[in-house]
Amino acid sequence: ELLNSQIKVFPNPVKENLQVKVPANFKLKSLHLLDLAGRMVRELNPSGASHNLSGLTSGVYYIEAVSTSGAVFRQKVVKETE
C-alpha cells in the first residue's frame, strides 16, 4: 500500500484545524500526533476528517496513520501560533 501518495494532510502549516483526507478504501487503525522524538502528543480520531490542534505549542510535529493492514503513513506538520 502506498499510503503516502493517497492521504492528504492540510493546511500545512496549520494554525487550528488540520484536515486528514483518507481514501474510502483505506481503513485506519490509529492516527497519532507525534513530537520530533517520536513520542505521542495526542491521539486523534482515525475516522474523523478534521482535528483541532489549537492549544498545542507551535513547532514541528508528525502525523502518523496506521492502516488496518499495517501500512504506516507519516508526514511532518508545522503548527503555527494562532
Side-chain angles (χ1 to χ4, degrees), residues 23-66:
N25 58 329
F26 281 116
K27 297 290 178 246
L28 291 185
K29 182 168 61 173
S30 66
L31 185 63
H32 296 125
L33 188 69
L34 309 175
D35 65 13
L36 287 178
R39 293 181 298 254
M40 186 174 65
V41 175
R42 194 175 283 181
E43 190 165 355
L44 305 173
N45 180 353
S47 59
S50 180
H51 306 280
N52 188 326
L53 301 185
S54 62
L56 280 178
T57 312
S58 57
V60 179
Y61 296 89
Y62 286 102
I63 285 285
E64 183 181 78
V66 180

Side-chain angles (χ1 to χ4, degrees), residues 13-16 53-59 78-82:
V14 60
K15 288 186 194 293
E16 231 176 285
L53 301 185
S54 62
L56 280 178
T57 312
S58 57
V78 177
K79 168 72 170 80
E80 291 187 330
T81 339
E82 292 146 52

